[in-house]
Amino acid sequence: FRSLIDRTSDFIEVIDPATGRFLDVNESACVAHGYTREEYLALSVPQLDPQVAEMTWPVVSAEIRKVEHYVLETSHRRKDGTLFPVEVRCTHVMLDREYLLATVRDISERKRSEHALRESEERYKTIFNNAPDALFVVSAEGDDAGKIVAANERAAWMHGYTLAELAGMQIA
């Protein structure tokens, strides 16, 4: 079972809800953060997570206990001090005692993709809105087929309408 948990790509952390200290972690967590298992187990959640460090651990622990699954996007600090974005899914578990079980995923690639998409959308908007020609985006499907979804300022000016008035108009 240990080998299975160690080989998963997500980081598995077992946390003491009273202290925030790590009771167990998998190999993926150690590798991603740059710690040996012994070093990692000497840490607490606030030492890895700057967002949690800004709050008191009892408050964080109490919030996690209130809900079935606590999900948070935050950053974790590696041993070398660099930060990387993570998604943390934490569950309160009662066995022989209380535990918090956290499944942590490195979301660096997702964040890079989201950033690239935002940049691409901004470039598109700039080109669309500043084009010297009248530009329209028209729906091609369903009940809205032929209706203006978007237009640029040049189109509104050329046709004597506001952008709000053009939105939803039917193209003949």
Side-chain angles (χ1 to χ4, degrees):
F1 186 72
R2 177 90 228 169
S3 292
L4 292 172
I5 296 299
D6 278 341
R7 299 305 179 270
T8 185
S9 60
D10 288 339
F11 321 145
I12 306 297
E13 301 168 336
V14 179
I15 305 161
D16 180 349
T19 65
R21 301 205 65 78
F22 296 104
L23 301 173
D24 197 7
V25 294
N26 70 348
E27 186 178 312
S28 295
C30 295
V31 170
H33 290 86
Y35 291 104
T36 65
R37 184 180 309 274
E38 294 74 29
E39 291 171 327
Y40 208 118
L41 296 179
L43 300 172
S44 65
V45 174
Q47 291 172 292
L48 285 187
D49 190 324
Q51 186 173 332
V52 171
E54 293 175 3
M55 302 176 274
T56 61
W57 177 252
V59 171
V60 173
S61 182
E63 285 298 313
I64 294 169
R65 289 177 183 151
K66 286 181 188 176
V67 295
E68 189 173 338
H69 299 286
Y70 187 83
V71 181
L72 170 72
E73 276 192 20
T74 185
S75 295
H76 272 190
R77 182 175 284 112
R78 292 184 181 98
K79 185 176 179 179
D80 67 9
T82 60
L83 295 174
F84 64 104
V86 294
E87 178 184 81
V88 179
R89 294 179 174 275
C90 198
T91 303
H92 179 254
V93 178
M94 184 58 120
L95 297 172
D96 58 323
R97 58 168 282 199
E98 282 187 283
Y99 298 94
L100 297 178
L101 176 63
T103 305
V104 183
R105 179 169 291 169
D106 182 344
I107 57 172
S108 298
E109 185 56 40
R110 183 174 90 196
K111 289 296 183 182
R112 278 190 289 276
S113 296
E114 289 171 356
H115 179 73
L117 179 59
R118 279 192 304 277
E119 284 184 340
S120 176
E121 288 172 343
E122 286 303 314
R123 279 192 302 274
Y124 164 78
K125 285 179 188 175
T126 298
I127 292 167
F128 184 81
N129 291 327
N130 294 307
D133 297 317
L135 298 178
F136 296 92
V137 176
V138 179
S139 180
E141 298 179 359
D143 293 338
D144 290 336
K147 287 187 179 178
I148 297 172
V149 176
N152 66 358
E153 288 287 344
R154 184 71 172 169
W157 176 81
M158 287 178 71
H159 295 281
Y161 293 101
T162 66
L163 290 175
E165 289 170 332
L166 282 174
M169 280 188 169
Q170 185 73 33
I171 298 290

